[in-house]
Amino acid sequence: MGAGANLTFHCPDCGEAMTVNEPMRDALLDHGCVVCGTTLSSSAFSHDDR
């Protein structure tokens, strides 16, 4: 999957949802949710197959 591929992020704690790319996914995994700061795992992301 390239850097342009879209993923859907959904925070399991606060419910924040957004479309992200691979670099954004990596940053969220490293730093946590941008809204509530909860630690995330790869299960918080799904492929956007549109």
Side-chain angles (χ1 to χ4, degrees), residues 7 17 29 36 38 40-41:
L7 299 160
L29 288 171
C36 70
T38 197
L40 302 170
S41 69

Side-chain angles (χ1 to χ4, degrees), residues 1 7-12 18 20-35 37-47:
M1 179 178 334
L7 299 160
T8 300
F9 160 67
H10 186 266
C11 180
M18 68 182 89
V20 299
N21 60 21
E22 284 288 327
M24 291 169 69
R25 180 187 82 90
D26 293 344
L28 286 163
L29 288 171
D30 287 344
H31 302 289
C33 177
V34 296
V35 174
T38 197
T39 301
L40 302 170
S41 69
S42 58
S43 65
F45 302 88
S46 61
H47 293 283

